[in-house]
Amino acid sequence: MVTAREIMHSDAYHVEPHDSVVAAAQVMRNKKIVQVPICDAGRLMGVVTQADIVTRCVASGRDPRETQVIDLVRHAQATVDVGDSLEKVLIVMAAHRVRGVPVLDGDTLVGILAQSDVTRSLAL
């Protein structure tokens, strides 16, 4: 059985709760990702997406340099455990209509599993 641990990105990019929205946007740009987890001492608090930045910050007239990501946090409803099967990962992604999920070991973020990781594992 192929597990989430075997196919995830082991480098879990994240931002801290009090980082600015600009800092989160820069991580997204630099890593070519559309969402970034928010972690406090390695523990997942939620995620912030490009859409959150546009609709809940910029379009609302908030200053992205002054707004902290904690103000935009969306609790990560779609997560998987490192030992979850590829089948479960696909079910979670489909059920939540997301292209990527945080991978947890207990309540600690250990990686990100993107749709492209799943596709790559199926092609091999």
Side-chain angles (χ1 to χ4, degrees):
M1 170 181 80
V2 177
T3 65
R5 181 187 303 275
E6 295 172 293
I7 59 174
M8 71 177 183
H9 283 92
S10 58
D11 44 354
Y13 307 114
H14 71 277
V15 292
E16 300 290 326
H18 300 291
D19 286 345
S20 72
V21 169
V22 168
Q26 290 170 338
V27 169
M28 290 180 204
R29 178 198 61 207
N30 294 342
K31 301 303 179 186
K32 297 180 175 76
I33 54 179
V34 297
Q35 69 176 1
V36 64
I38 302 167
C39 295
D40 189 17
R43 297 183 189 275
L44 182 67
M45 297 180 67
V47 297
V48 64
T49 67
Q50 288 176 343
D52 294 329
I53 291 171
V54 171
T55 61
R56 298 175 62 213
C57 183
V58 177
S60 296
R62 299 168 86 176
D63 184 346
R65 293 170 300 209
E66 299 297 324
T67 304
Q68 297 176 348
V69 292
I70 193 68
D71 297 331
L72 303 181
V73 70
R74 271 187 203 267
H75 298 287
Q77 297 173 347
T79 62
V80 295
D81 187 75
V82 290
D84 285 346
S85 68
L86 178 56
E87 180 181 13
K88 180 167 183 191
V89 169
L90 291 169
I91 290 168
V92 168
M93 292 173 97
H96 292 276
R97 295 182 176 165
V98 294
R99 293 179 281 163
V101 291
V103 180
L104 304 177
D105 188 353
D107 60 356
T108 302
L109 179 71
V110 294
I112 302 295
L113 211 163
Q115 193 174 40
S116 60
D117 299 321
V118 173
T119 303
R120 189 172 21 263
S121 75
L122 292 172
L124 297 176

